Amino acid sequence: MSSYLVAFAVGELEYISTKTNSGVEMRVYTVPGKKEQGQYSLDLSAKCIDWYNEWFDIPYPLPKCDLIAIPDFSMGAMENWGLVTYREIALLVDPGVTSTRQKSRVALVVAHELAHLWFGNLVTMKWWTDLWLKEGFASFMEYMFVGANCSEFKIWLHFLNDELASGMGLDGLRNSHPIEVEIDNPNELDEIYDSITYAKSNSVNRMLCYYLSEPVFQKGLRIYLKKFQYSNAVTQDLWSALSEASGQNVNELMSGWTQQMGFPVLNVTQRQDGNNRVLTVEQRRFISDGGEDPKNSLWQVPITVSVGSAPSDVKARFLLKEKQQEFVVEGVAPGEWVKLNSGTTGFYRVEYSDEMLTSMLPDIASRKMPVLDRFGLINDLSALLNTGRVSIAQFVQVAASSANEDEYVVWGAIDEGMSKLLACSREMSEETLKRAKQLIVKMFEKTGADLGFAEQSGEDTQKMMLRALVQARLARAGHQPTIDKFNQMFTDFLEKGTPIHPDIRLATFGVVARSTGKEGFDKLMNLRETTTFQEIERQAMIAMSQTPEQPLLAQLFEYGFEKNKVRPQDQLYLFLGTGSTHMGQQYAWQYFCEHIKEFLEKKSTIVVRNMARITVNNLDCFYLDS
Ligand SMILES: [Zn+2]
């Protein structure tokens, strides 16, 4: 057992307990008064241990497993063997108060840490260079478990945004790093606890799982875990086990994905040849500044193809190995659309010819194209828009085809593109900004009216999140009736005790902070000061940081940092909402620059890096000379 997995906890605590089917004693510990909030995680963790026992075909070896909720904890959670530590927000659930999004995060984090009991604890990486061997797999297994056991969260849809798109976001930068990265000294480790080690590794695992098929992938992992249990392993050991299970050369396939940074964008054009469609596919590294890759990196890219006559099926599979190759898809009628990366399972982006893109629009509009594909298409377009490879008009054309869209994650991708449009417009002129806002209102208004603000009986858990997203975007675009409605909801909540649905709470707080000045700000501050629930504390703070008034923002930062009224684990959320206005962006950036030395002395590199990331991402425009 590795020494990094030892933990003791001392404090005044209470607990609830249960047993797994396999007889393991499970306990959730909290500070006094909160143990009931541990019930959800307790039940889930017991189920999770049993599920992993079977999936890995190796039983959890200890007689007990404790999960403890810690009020202030710099990491999200830590997989100490038998005493897993979590932030309160990552473990505790209060029914009726916890939002769906947060509850699904609890499920994921619980499952993530428990997956480490196999990936990391039972088989430990030989050295930190192979950190991804535990983090990439714990991340993938958390989705496997939640996907199989908590269908209400539609977790694989969220995977696309939270893992795939997040990994691509960081890996699209010129100065990204490979998944396998040389670490000389454990002090350097903080630098790789990032979206490459977690989200990219996770997404690359998913790609490989689809490529080999789940049973083969599972067989390979079982071979790996059995062979190296109570011992150490390197990446090559994993590839060997997967090669043994699949009969394929997994090392050759995967080394490009783990040993070089970045990922490809495939440019695809087509021609019809009788009953066949001939695709010309060319790969190049995707770089978010739109520039060239000096290294001319190449990947082995598993390509899947779907077509208009059977949108949910994989019509053909190819492996792209060269810079450019031609592939023939047989039995495709003239005019039928052809799409790459079915189900958005691959860690690559696709750039279509205008003709190919246009042919897909009707099936995007009718939602005949599966949701995972709709998301992938719009997310790719939004990223390509950023690089200048796609025009705003092209993006808007596809987004406008999604007027009948009903899935939260797809709207999320549209919303993200629109938010970029707003950011660009803000840089140009008042008139451009006004017109961009009008366009957004036009695109979102009907959906907003159809959805309303109240939960309807029988709808799934995603609907309220969609409602919050659409109404919040309308409010940000200055749609006055929406702003008034949100403010009324907040007033009714404070004065009459009318509950606000947890999934629309943050959106409501945000509108209040942006539109009601000091009065709303003070009410949010009061709410934050009086609640005992960490999610509400955090949401009130994120909302307050969206204030357009500089003195209020200064007051908030003073409250959080100088007066130390915000827990160190949550201080980075002070920066989160500052992207709402130019004033906020500049205030936060300046504050960060002025205090960076102090932050580096007091906080972990991970926290400071996340502050930097949030602050820089919030800037509409990064002026190099300043
Ligand atoms: Zn982990």
Side-chain angles (χ1 to χ4, degrees), residues 414-424 426 440 473 620:
I414 296 170
D415 187 60
E416 200 199 314
M418 285 301 159
S419 127
K420 283 177 192 159
L421 179 66
L422 270 188
C424 295
R426 241 192 321 251
I440 288 172
R473 178 53 63 200
D620 287 343

Side-chain angles (χ1 to χ4, degrees), residues 77-79 112-113 116 119 134-136 138-139 142 193 198:
M78 176 64 211
E79 70 270 21
H112 177 101
E113 302 310 323
H116 274 315
F119 277 98
K134 79 177 179 82
E135 294 308 341
S139 300
E142 76 190 52
Y193 272 98
Y198 287 79

Side-chain angles (χ1 to χ4, degrees), residues 161-179 190-201 203 260-263 285-289 347 349 379 383 386 416 606 609-610 612-614 616-617:
N161 186 59
D162 300 348
E163 303 293 326
L164 186 92
S166 155
M168 285 181 170
L170 186 57
D171 206 26
L173 300 179
R174 240 169 228 290
N175 55 352
S176 180
H177 65 81
I179 286 178
D190 272 4
E191 291 172 30
I192 62 163
Y193 272 98
D194 62 11
S195 302
I196 301 297
T197 301
Y198 287 79
K200 181 183 179 181
S201 300
S203 307
Q260 59 187 0
M261 65 173 151
F263 62 92
R285 181 177 161 200
F286 176 90
I287 301 181
S288 55
D289 64 15
F347 195 73
R349 297 197 182 281
N379 184 260
N386 241 19
E416 200 199 314
I606 301 176
R609 190 194 53 215
N610 283 334
R613 181 177 52 82
I614 289 171
V616 172
N617 278 351

